[in-house]
Amino acid sequence: MLEIVKMTAQHVDDVHVLEQISFPQDTWPKTAFMLELSKSVAFYIVALADGKVVGYAGMHHVEDAADIVNIAVHPYFRRMGIASAMLNTLEAQVLELGVTTITLEVRLSNAPAQKLYQSHGFAAIAVREGYYRTPKEDAVIMQKSNLGGNP
């Protein structure tokens, strides 16, 4: 059974393990996640399968804009709709906050993630050269605007 809940400090150890699996060359330290949980502009969620963390996502929001900063699903649980469910949860959260635009960066080489974001209404709007450091790679900036059907 899949459940998506707000991330708490009790999830950080498991999220950090997932971070190491998903982003081995550019892993955030546990302290970074703890700091994120303390920020009023940050919103983080975890996907739980039978109580075990199998995915996480986070974003920052300021006024009418939000930026997805992290999203990861354990390799064993990919292609099961978990990332889509987390994106839907993030979008529902920002709609409540009056956000009208969401942006994110994704590795240029990560075609599956780009396809996922496109299926959720995101469009590529620019390329940020050298955004990722390890390994060095450009990022595609993707954006979804007019959330909630607002003109």
Side-chain angles (χ1 to χ4, degrees):
M1 181 172 127
L2 183 70
E3 183 181 16
I4 297 177
V5 300
K6 189 171 180 180
M7 185 191 299
T8 66
Q10 76 181 25
H11 299 120
V12 169
D13 285 342
D14 292 336
V15 166
H16 187 253
V17 169
L18 180 54
E19 174 83 357
Q20 290 173 314
I21 293 167
S22 299
F23 310 110
Q25 292 116 352
D26 202 18
T27 300
W28 282 21
K30 288 182 200 178
T31 54
F33 287 104
M34 292 302 291
L35 180 61
E36 287 292 294
L37 292 177
S38 72
K39 293 179 181 177
S40 63
V41 299
F43 180 74
Y44 277 76
I45 57 175
V46 292
L48 305 172
D50 297 323
K52 180 175 172 41
V53 173
V54 297
Y56 76 93
M59 69 178 178
H60 293 157
H61 59 87
V62 178
E63 296 183 11
D64 65 346
D67 184 55
I68 296 175
V69 292
N70 296 58
I71 188 162
V73 175
H74 190 284
Y76 182 78
F77 291 89
R78 291 181 185 159
R79 305 195 59 77
M80 295 181 179
I82 295 170
S84 285
M86 290 190 300
L87 281 169
N88 290 338
T89 300
L90 291 178
E91 186 170 327
Q93 173 66 24
V94 296
L95 281 171
E96 290 181 18
L97 298 169
V99 167
T100 58
T101 302
I102 303 174
T103 58
L104 59 86
E105 291 85 14
V106 60
R107 284 186 181 272
L108 185 61
S109 64
N110 194 344
Q114 291 177 45
K115 185 176 178 181
L116 168 71
Y117 299 135
Q118 288 169 346
S119 75
H120 280 263
F122 286 82
I125 61 167
V127 172
R128 184 167 285 148
E129 293 183 17
Y131 179 76
Y132 294 100
R133 295 178 299 218
T134 310
K136 188 168 181 153
E137 186 174 352
D138 296 345
V140 176
I141 302 170
M142 301 185 78
Q143 183 177 72
K144 182 175 182 175
S145 298
N146 297 323
L147 275 75
N150 297 328

